[in-house]
Amino acid sequence: MKAIVVEHPGSPAELTWTEVPDPEPAADEVLIDVAASAVNRADLLQAAGHYPPPPGASPILGLECSGTVAAVGRDVTGWTVGDQVCALLAGGGYAERVAVPAGQVLPVPDGVDLVEAAGLPEVACTVWSNLVMTAGLQAGRTVLIHGGGSGIGTMAIQVAKQLGATVAITASRPATLERCRELGADIAIDYHAEDFVTALPAATGGRGADIVLDVIGAKYLARNIAVLADGGRLVIIGMQGGSKAELDINALMRRRGGVIGTTLRSRPATGPGSKAEIVARVRAELWPLIARGAVRPVIDSVVDLPDAARAHRRVAEGGHVGKVLLRAPGGAGVSEPADGVLSHTPDREDKSRGDR
Ligand SMILES: NC(=O)c1ccc[n+]([C@@H]2O[C@H](COP(=O)([O-])OP(=O)(O)OC[C@H]3O[C@@H](n4cnc5c(N)ncnc54)[C@H](OP(=O)(O)O)[C@@H]3O)[C@@H](O)[C@H]2O)c1
């Protein structure tokens, strides 16, 4: 098969579409013919040589994919050759085929096309596991989501709204702030123009956030704690602003606050706290919201997989809203791009707006 190989790690890395050995599914795995994958910021870090795959994972980039089941291992139940699926991967998505533990496979939700579905597993599992399973989000709470226009942010806004929360976001561009409002954000803070430490309390009658979903890390630690409501939870899932910071324990104790850090990729495939556990919850609780159109994939653009370097540049430059998808050669679901990059089509955009 062919796959994207990182020839020279760096920023930007040299990414080459080249022949590699086919994956062999283990007894508990499903082999997927990939229709599409999607770019995650972690892919850029891995391509730069800063984020090695966990032990045993494919060295090929790609934390999610959609496609058609091509083979099932002998211990697999519930999946059949020909099923259209999407999957949460520990790696290997930027390829024509990928083998994945059966517990990380999901059906393509009703109303979502096969290529779009490639952008769902990573954001769905990250958002559901952190907001719902870890932070215990409930109706009536206020959630602050940093990077509202990111793949993660666009899913988190919609999920939090569906669960009855008041949603605040930070973002940096007028168009992104507006898109976040369209997705349901009640409070949109331009992080270049305003300090969320003053803007959020001002917009919430002084209350602040019951949950902060943070992708910045060290640079925002003190300020995130400063906006926590009593009993609030700061859930850190990214380190775009560094990994080491001083924690003001006094400030945390006064709020009876909690700080939690999680990663999805390093979780075990099965067992307590595993990817399979999250995937099962996502399938049971979030997939119905997607199937009835209450939560939609937000797609920025679709790039042909052999041109993955172009997709990485789009994410590195910023300004995208939602997911950048990578369509495998022969992947179904979108029309042929003239220049290798498809913008998100208006009819799908209208649908995602009209549903809320
Ligand atoms: N721990 C996990 O399991 C896990 C899983 C998936 C993703 N993540 C993390 O989640 C983050 C989003 O991932 P993604 O793939 O969706 O990335 P992405 O689409 O590239 O988004 C990055 C986002 O960061 C925002 N941002 C940058 N600097 C900011 C600042 N100072 N304040 C507020 N927002 C800022 C950007 O906002 P603007 O464009 O508006 O400037 C952009 O929306 C990444 O940090 C990633 O590593 C973690």
Side-chain angles (χ1 to χ4, degrees), residues 165-187:
T166 297
V167 176
I169 63 96
T170 57
S172 68
R173 291 171 178 82
T176 309
L177 291 157
E178 181 53 27
R179 188 74 181 101
C180 292
R181 282 191 202 95
E182 289 168 359
L183 288 168
D186 303 287
I187 303 158

Side-chain angles (χ1 to χ4, degrees), residues 39-42 45 122-123 126 130 146-153 170-173 176 191-192 214-216 219-220 236-240 262-265 315 318-320 322-323:
V39 181
N40 285 281
R41 191 150 284 269
L45 289 176
E122 178 75 15
V123 295
T126 301
N130 285 291
H146 287 301
S150 65
I152 295 292
T170 57
S172 68
R173 291 171 178 82
T176 309
Y191 67 79
H192 284 320
D214 177 55
V215 293
I216 302 302
K219 193 172 124 191
Y220 274 4
I236 304 174
I237 64 165
M239 301 181 290
Q240 292 180 64
T262 73
T263 68
L264 184 56
R265 192 183 197 185
V315 172
H320 61 290
K323 299 290 294 194

